[in-house]
């Protein structure tokens, strides 16, 4: 346990250094707040990094209008308690066009309501650096990211054009039309995140804990019926199953897992035993959908 505590301390120190470097280097950075466990850790680290001063950059949430209701309620309460400046951006053209996860196709929905919306928000507010909670262990294309990951014109990503980072020496310079994505949690794992949440007593969304929820089967995944917009198949009814979520996103595209974990300690025990990445429960990453690397080259986080 002592060794685990030291690992978490080293990860915390590294992340705080990255956050301070970002605040000191860029003209107008912003921190992405997706309301999940990684965002909760990132927000906690930002508070620590600049205490007793307020967090020196705004939080940005790209709202597709399809997030879990519990996510939005949690977001508003936590941001108010942190006295943080929250910017919420939705692609209104996509809303007017009726883009949704069911009839638009998952890839097109993700492109318009997430990727295009993010590019809009960054351009509208003139942010030159966006801090995110992505980790290298999540998915193979994210393993190609640098901590300071440069983006070209239109927020495009070229993994071959990334700069070397040797001995935590970061190159934060930007050329014309370039912006930066910053990943303070790059070296963390899902287990590290949960162990840190346990150690620091960080509040996380209740969707991460097991509870009887109205679920329907879609292929080999279980999806929660969170509101009346979810189209049930003929003769289909939602059934109550005790499940929790390993990752949070748009509710029609985020699968739950069977679980009895009611506390952070029990979640940690589950996570330490599982070998499948939490991204396996995200339908946007499924077979037949655009690869994560393709999404990222277009500006996705």
């Amino acid at each position: 346990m002592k060794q685990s505590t030291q690992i978490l301390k080293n990860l915390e120190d590294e992340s705080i250094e990255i956050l301070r470097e970002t605040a000191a280097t860029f003209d107008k950075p912003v921190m992405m707040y997706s309301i999940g466990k990684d965002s909760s850790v990132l927000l906690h680290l930002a508070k620590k990094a600049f205490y007793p001063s307020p967090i020196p950059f705004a939080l940005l949430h790209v709202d597709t209008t399809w997030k879990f209701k519990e996510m939005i309620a949690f977001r508003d309460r936590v941001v108010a308690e942190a006295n943080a400046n929250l910017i919420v951006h939705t692609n209104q053209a996509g809303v007017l066009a009726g883009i949704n996860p069911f009839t638009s196709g998952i890839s097109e929905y993700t492109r318009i309501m997430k990727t295009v919306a993010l590019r809009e928000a960054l351009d509208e507010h003139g942010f030159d650096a966006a801090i995110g909670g992505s980790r290298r262990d999540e998915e193979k294309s994210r393993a190609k990211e640098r901590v300071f990951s440069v983006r070209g014109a239109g927020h495009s990503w070229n993994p071959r054009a990334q700069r070397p980072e040797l001995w935590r020496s970061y190159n934060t310079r930007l050329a014309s039309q370039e912006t930066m994505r910053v990943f303070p949690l790059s070296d963390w794992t899902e287990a590290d995140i949960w162990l840190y949440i346990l150690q620091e007593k960080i509040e996380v969304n209740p969707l991460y804990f097991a509870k009887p929820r109205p679920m329907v089967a879609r292929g080999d995944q279980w999806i929660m019926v969170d509101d009346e917009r979810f189209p049930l198949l003929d003769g289909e009814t939602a059934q109550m199953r005790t499940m929790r979520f390993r990752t949070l996103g748009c509710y029609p595209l985020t699968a739950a897992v069977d679980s009895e974990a009611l506390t952070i300690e029990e979640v940690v025990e589950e996570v330490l035993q599982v070998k499948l990445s939490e991204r396996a429960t995200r339908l946007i990453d499924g077979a037949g959908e655009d690869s994560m690397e393709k999404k990222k080259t277009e500006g996705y986080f």
Side-chain angles (χ1 to χ4, degrees), residues 85-219:
N85 175 24
L86 175 68
I87 298 169
V88 178
H89 183 85
T90 298
N91 182 344
Q92 296 299 333
V95 172
L96 290 174
I99 302 298
N100 67 81
F102 301 105
T103 63
S104 305
I106 296 175
S107 294
E108 184 66 0
Y109 164 79
T110 300
R111 185 185 71 82
I112 293 175
M113 299 307 294
K114 293 188 175 185
T115 304
V116 173
L118 174 58
R119 296 197 311 243
E120 284 180 347
L122 296 177
D123 289 341
E124 179 180 328
H125 295 278
F127 296 123
D128 57 351
I131 305 163
S134 299
R135 310 185 319 270
R136 290 188 178 121
D137 76 321
E138 288 181 276
E139 194 272 339
K140 60 184 180 182
S141 69
R142 285 182 166 165
K144 298 179 182 179
E145 290 279 17
R146 302 292 192 264
V147 172
F148 285 85
S149 183
V150 69
R151 294 302 197 261
H155 307 286
S156 60
W157 178 62
N158 180 357
R160 295 178 180 274
Q162 297 306 303
R163 303 159 178 175
E165 292 179 341
L166 307 174
W167 302 285
R168 291 168 66 179
S169 178
Y170 305 123
N171 183 344
T172 60
R173 290 175 294 179
L174 293 175
S176 176
Q177 295 188 303
E178 287 184 340
T179 57
M180 193 73 76
R181 302 286 172 91
V182 184
F183 301 105
L185 303 181
S186 284
D187 293 335
W188 297 57
T189 66
E190 183 186 11
D192 294 329
I193 291 292
W194 280 110
L195 287 167
Y196 188 73
I197 288 169
L198 177 63
Q199 173 185 286
E200 299 289 301
K201 298 179 173 60
I202 300 171
E203 183 182 10
V204 294
N205 196 288
L207 289 162
Y208 285 115
F209 303 107
K211 176 183 174 181
R213 295 184 162 95
M215 313 297 298
V216 296
R218 289 291 182 266

Side-chain angles (χ1 to χ4, degrees), residues 31-51:
M31 189 169 82
M32 304 302 298
Y33 185 63
S34 65
I35 319 171
K37 62 185 183 301
D38 302 294
S39 283
S40 294
V41 167
L42 204 52
L43 181 58
H44 180 81
L45 289 166
K47 292 177 185 177
K48 273 196 166 187
F50 303 104
Y51 181 84

Side-chain angles (χ1 to χ4, degrees), residues 106-107 109-110 114 253 279 282-286 289-290 292 295 300:
I106 296 175
S107 294
Y109 164 79
T110 300
K114 293 188 175 185
L253 305 178
R279 295 294 305 189
R282 297 292 288 272
L283 273 64
I284 63 171
D285 299 343
E289 301 306 325
D290 289 341
M292 176 63 77
K295 294 185 183 80
Y300 187 73

